Amino acid sequence: VQLVESGGGLVQPGGSLRLSCAASGMILSVFSGSTKAWFAQAPGKQRELVAEISSDGTTNYAESVKGRFTISKENTRKRVFLQMNSLKPEDTAVYYCRMNNEWYGTDYWGQGTQVTVSS
């Protein structure tokens, strides 16, 4: 199983990016039953939860991104997305996708995608 992130890049403050994470080699039942999340790790800081979406669609966001970021998923394509609007320089980080399924005992991470917010 591999989680492959894409969509990162350089954007000006106030801009938008859409991150995508594709689960390759994961059976659909594991994907659909997983909690999917995006984490961010800025230079010199610990990896922190940005947003998560449970198998029933319940979402949870870090206070710093509420109202600006939206997490979503497409079960049939086994993808999870992070729509990032009104980006700020402090959002600059490597963003990682995570999918964990307690029932199956699986926990997968992607390799990360760099997001840089700078003028």
Side-chain angles (χ1 to χ4, degrees), residues 23-63:
S24 174
M26 185 183 291
I27 62 175
L28 185 57
S29 58
V30 174
F31 179 88
S32 59
S34 294
T35 294
K36 304 145 186 74
W38 289 94
F39 286 73
Q41 187 165 20
K45 294 187 176 181
Q46 289 194 340
R47 194 173 296 187
E48 296 181 338
L49 177 68
V50 174
E52 65 182 350
I53 184 166
S54 65
S55 57
D56 67 0
T58 301
T59 57
N60 178 46
Y61 295 92
E63 284 295 326

Side-chain angles (χ1 to χ4, degrees), residues 1 7 14 24 31-32 40 42 50 60 63 66 73-74 79 82 86 93-96 102-103 106 111 113 118:
V1 173
S24 174
F31 179 88
S32 59
V50 174
N60 178 46
E63 284 295 326
K66 281 183 179 178
K73 58 178 178 171
E74 285 188 18
R79 289 179 181 263
L82 185 68
S86 302
V94 177
Y95 284 74
Y96 296 89
E102 293 185 0
W103 179 261
T106 59
Q111 81 289 350
T113 185
S118 174

